[in-house]
Amino acid sequence: MSKNKILLALLMSMLFTNSFADYISGQREYVSGNYESAITEWTPVAEDGHERAQYNLAWMHANGKGTPQDFAVAIEWYKKSAEQGNVNAQYNLANLYLRGQGAAQDDKLAFSWFMKAAEQGDAPSQYNIGRMYLLDKGADINFLESRFWIKQALENDDAYIGALAQQLWDDYKLGTY
């Protein structure tokens, strides 16, 4: 291995180690209730592209922990994390668009983010996709698609979502399609 490759590998491991250490420091601060310090630790890590730090910052802004509640900033951080495949960020981002918190209410955008999370097996997102197909929100009414996603939510080992999904299944007689 050449000296340049060794130097590059060493540099990358140092960057990863420092980033990971800062993320862990943020976790410690959060658990201790030092929310402002957690934000301080996570911000540079999130800016470097750490999807979990991005999600955490979004959650902190959405819930006003260590910072004033700001849904617009939460959307920015959720979107960065969601684009990297973080299923929780995808779900939360979809909910903000569905409710019009931090951005204009947008059923189609909410639907697209719920779908990304649903495809990863997220039961609440599967339920929401099924419901949106039933209610003509973000997608045209489609009972077969609704049935598919509600069935996925029912089979997804989440008792609360399962109860909601069962109610939709029964109310709309989805077993008949």
Side-chain angles (χ1 to χ4, degrees):
M1 196 188 286
S2 73
K3 287 183 183 178
N4 287 342
K5 288 183 180 177
I6 293 171
L7 184 58
L8 180 61
L10 180 61
L11 180 60
M12 293 302 287
S13 69
M14 288 173 50
L15 287 173
F16 177 74
T17 303
N18 288 340
S19 178
F20 185 72
D22 290 342
Y23 177 78
I24 296 300
S25 294
Q27 288 291 95
R28 283 191 201 110
E29 293 296 331
Y30 179 84
V31 169
S32 298
N34 301 324
Y35 303 128
E36 290 97 357
S37 295
I39 290 172
T40 300
E41 294 290 337
W42 284 329
T43 299
V45 179
E47 288 169 347
D48 285 342
H50 191 282
E51 59 91 12
R52 185 62 193 187
Q54 292 167 342
Y55 171 81
N56 291 350
L57 285 178
W59 190 89
M60 300 284 276
H61 284 280
N63 291 283
K65 295 283 189 182
T67 184
Q69 187 175 49
D70 189 334
F71 292 117
V73 173
I75 283 178
E76 290 175 30
W77 285 116
Y78 276 141
K79 193 171 188 183
K80 290 178 183 191
S81 183
E83 288 170 346
Q84 294 188 67
N86 184 304
V87 68
N88 295 316
Q90 292 167 346
Y91 173 78
N92 289 342
L93 182 59
N95 270 314
L96 291 178
Y97 284 127
L98 187 65
R99 294 180 185 136
Q101 293 177 305
Q105 195 274 335
D106 189 330
D107 289 342
K108 288 186 187 293
L109 208 45
F111 182 90
S112 71
W113 285 111
F114 278 135
M115 183 60 81
K116 289 179 189 314
E119 289 171 342
Q120 292 188 68
D122 183 61
S125 295
Q126 292 168 339
Y127 167 77
N128 279 303
I129 287 292
R131 190 170 181 276
M132 291 176 88
Y133 272 125
L134 286 174
L135 302 176
D136 194 23
K137 290 184 71 84
D140 292 335
I141 291 176
N142 186 324
F143 288 102
L144 292 176
E145 283 293 324
S146 178
R147 177 187 175 171
F148 173 81
W149 288 108
I150 295 299
K151 189 170 191 297
Q152 295 296 307
L154 279 167
E155 295 173 352
N156 202 323
D157 207 26
D158 181 314
Y160 177 71
I161 293 300
L164 293 174
Q166 187 64 58
Q167 187 67 47
L168 271 182
W169 187 271
D170 294 343
D171 288 352
Y172 285 87
K173 298 176 181 22
L174 293 174
T176 62
Y177 293 96

PDB file of all heavy atoms in Angstrom, residues 1-11:
ATOM      1  N   MET A   1       0.854  -1.170   0.000  1.00  0.00           N
ATOM      2  CA  MET A   1       0.000   0.000   0.000  1.00  0.00           C
ATOM      3  C   MET A   1       0.903   1.237   0.000  1.00  0.00           C
ATOM      4  O   MET A   1       1.880   1.304   0.741  1.00  0.00           O
ATOM      5  CB  MET A   1      -0.906  -0.014   1.244  1.00  0.00           C
ATOM      6  CG  MET A   1      -2.049   0.929   1.103  1.00  0.00           C
ATOM      7  SD  MET A   1      -3.080   1.196   2.548  1.00  0.00           S
ATOM      8  CE  MET A   1      -4.055  -0.223   2.757  1.00  0.00           C
ATOM      9  N   SER A   2       0.550   2.220  -0.795  1.00  0.00           N
ATOM     10  CA  SER A   2       1.372   3.424  -0.899  1.00  0.00           C
ATOM     11  C   SER A   2       1.211   4.297   0.338  1.00  0.00           C
ATOM     12  O   SER A   2       0.233   4.183   1.088  1.00  0.00           O
ATOM     13  CB  SER A   2       0.998   4.201  -2.152  1.00  0.00           C
ATOM     14  OG  SER A   2      -0.258   4.830  -1.984  1.00  0.00           O
ATOM     15  N   LYS A   3       2.168   5.195   0.521  1.00  0.00           N
ATOM     16  CA  LYS A   3       2.121   6.113   1.658  1.00  0.00           C
ATOM     17  C   LYS A   3       0.873   6.994   1.597  1.00  0.00           C
ATOM     18  O   LYS A   3       0.278   7.288   2.622  1.00  0.00           O
ATOM     19  CB  LYS A   3       3.370   6.994   1.674  1.00  0.00           C
ATOM     20  CG  LYS A   3       4.620   6.283   2.090  1.00  0.00           C
ATOM     21  CD  LYS A   3       5.784   7.255   2.140  1.00  0.00           C
ATOM     22  CE  LYS A   3       7.069   6.533   2.491  1.00  0.00           C
ATOM     23  NZ  LYS A   3       8.207   7.441   2.507  1.00  0.00           N
ATOM     24  N   ASN A   4       0.491   7.416   0.394  1.00  0.00           N
ATOM     25  CA  ASN A   4      -0.703   8.269   0.248  1.00  0.00           C
ATOM     26  C   ASN A   4      -1.964   7.545   0.690  1.00  0.00           C
ATOM     27  O   ASN A   4      -2.829   8.130   1.331  1.00  0.00           O
ATOM     28  CB  ASN A   4      -0.844   8.750  -1.192  1.00  0.00           C
ATOM     29  CG  ASN A   4       0.182   9.797  -1.550  1.00  0.00           C
ATOM     30  OD1 ASN A   4       0.793  10.409  -0.682  1.00  0.00           O
ATOM     31  ND2 ASN A   4       0.391   9.999  -2.851  1.00  0.00           N
ATOM     32  N   LYS A   5      -2.084   6.254   0.336  1.00  0.00           N
ATOM     33  CA  LYS A   5      -3.260   5.489   0.738  1.00  0.00           C
ATOM     34  C   LYS A   5      -3.290   5.283   2.240  1.00  0.00           C
ATOM     35  O   LYS A   5      -4.351   5.359   2.865  1.00  0.00           O
ATOM     36  CB  LYS A   5      -3.301   4.151   0.008  1.00  0.00           C
ATOM     37  CG  LYS A   5      -3.652   4.270  -1.453  1.00  0.00           C
ATOM     38  CD  LYS A   5      -3.753   2.912  -2.105  1.00  0.00           C
ATOM     39  CE  LYS A   5      -4.099   3.049  -3.572  1.00  0.00           C
ATOM     40  NZ  LYS A   5      -4.129   1.734  -4.228  1.00  0.00           N
ATOM     41  N   ILE A   6      -2.142   5.026   2.824  1.00  0.00           N
ATOM     42  CA  ILE A   6      -2.070   4.854   4.280  1.00  0.00           C
ATOM     43  C   ILE A   6      -2.434   6.160   4.974  1.00  0.00           C
ATOM     44  O   ILE A   6      -3.209   6.178   5.933  1.00  0.00           O
ATOM     45  CB  ILE A   6      -0.663   4.364   4.708  1.00  0.00           C
ATOM     46  CG1 ILE A   6      -0.437   2.952   4.174  1.00  0.00           C
ATOM     47  CG2 ILE A   6      -0.512   4.423   6.224  1.00  0.00           C
ATOM     48  CD1 ILE A   6       0.986   2.460   4.357  1.00  0.00           C
ATOM     49  N   LEU A   7      -1.898   7.269   4.478  1.00  0.00           N
ATOM     50  CA  LEU A   7      -2.190   8.578   5.064  1.00  0.00           C
ATOM     51  C   LEU A   7      -3.680   8.902   4.939  1.00  0.00           C
ATOM     52  O   LEU A   7      -4.293   9.377   5.889  1.00  0.00           O
ATOM     53  CB  LEU A   7      -1.349   9.658   4.379  1.00  0.00           C
ATOM     54  CG  LEU A   7      -1.455  11.072   4.937  1.00  0.00           C
ATOM     55  CD1 LEU A   7      -1.078  11.104   6.416  1.00  0.00           C
ATOM     56  CD2 LEU A   7      -0.562  12.010   4.153  1.00  0.00           C
ATOM     57  N   LEU A   8      -4.248   8.614   3.776  1.00  0.00           N
ATOM     58  CA  LEU A   8      -5.673   8.857   3.574  1.00  0.00           C
ATOM     59  C   LEU A   8      -6.514   8.001   4.520  1.00  0.00           C
ATOM     60  O   LEU A   8      -7.471   8.487   5.130  1.00  0.00           O
ATOM     61  CB  LEU A   8      -6.070   8.581   2.117  1.00  0.00           C
ATOM     62  CG  LEU A   8      -7.535   8.803   1.770  1.00  0.00           C
ATOM     63  CD1 LEU A   8      -7.939  10.254   2.011  1.00  0.00           C
ATOM     64  CD2 LEU A   8      -7.798   8.406   0.332  1.00  0.00           C
ATOM     65  N   ALA A   9      -6.174   6.732   4.661  1.00  0.00           N
ATOM     66  CA  ALA A   9      -6.902   5.842   5.561  1.00  0.00           C
ATOM     67  C   ALA A   9      -6.807   6.333   7.002  1.00  0.00           C
ATOM     68  O   ALA A   9      -7.801   6.321   7.740  1.00  0.00           O
ATOM     69  CB  ALA A   9      -6.373   4.422   5.450  1.00  0.00           C
ATOM     70  N   LEU A  10      -5.637   6.770   7.413  1.00  0.00           N
ATOM     71  CA  LEU A  10      -5.446   7.288   8.772  1.00  0.00           C
ATOM     72  C   LEU A  10      -6.272   8.551   8.985  1.00  0.00           C
ATOM     73  O   LEU A  10      -6.947   8.699  10.009  1.00  0.00           O
ATOM     74  CB  LEU A  10      -3.960   7.563   9.028  1.00  0.00           C
ATOM     75  CG  LEU A  10      -3.607   8.107  10.405  1.00  0.00           C
ATOM     76  CD1 LEU A  10      -4.006   7.110  11.490  1.00  0.00           C
ATOM     77  CD2 LEU A  10      -2.124   8.411  10.479  1.00  0.00           C
ATOM     78  N   LEU A  11      -6.245   9.454   8.013  1.00  0.00           N
ATOM     79  CA  LEU A  11      -7.009  10.692   8.108  1.00  0.00           C
ATOM     80  C   LEU A  11      -8.505  10.409   8.192  1.00  0.00           C
ATOM     81  O   LEU A  11      -9.213  10.991   9.017  1.00  0.00           O
ATOM     82  CB  LEU A  11      -6.709  11.596   6.902  1.00  0.00           C
ATOM     83  CG  LEU A  11      -7.430  12.936   6.852  1.00  0.00           C
ATOM     84  CD1 LEU A  11      -7.086  13.785   8.071  1.00  0.00           C
ATOM     85  CD2 LEU A  11      -7.078  13.672   5.583  1.00  0.00           C
TER      86      LEU A  11
END
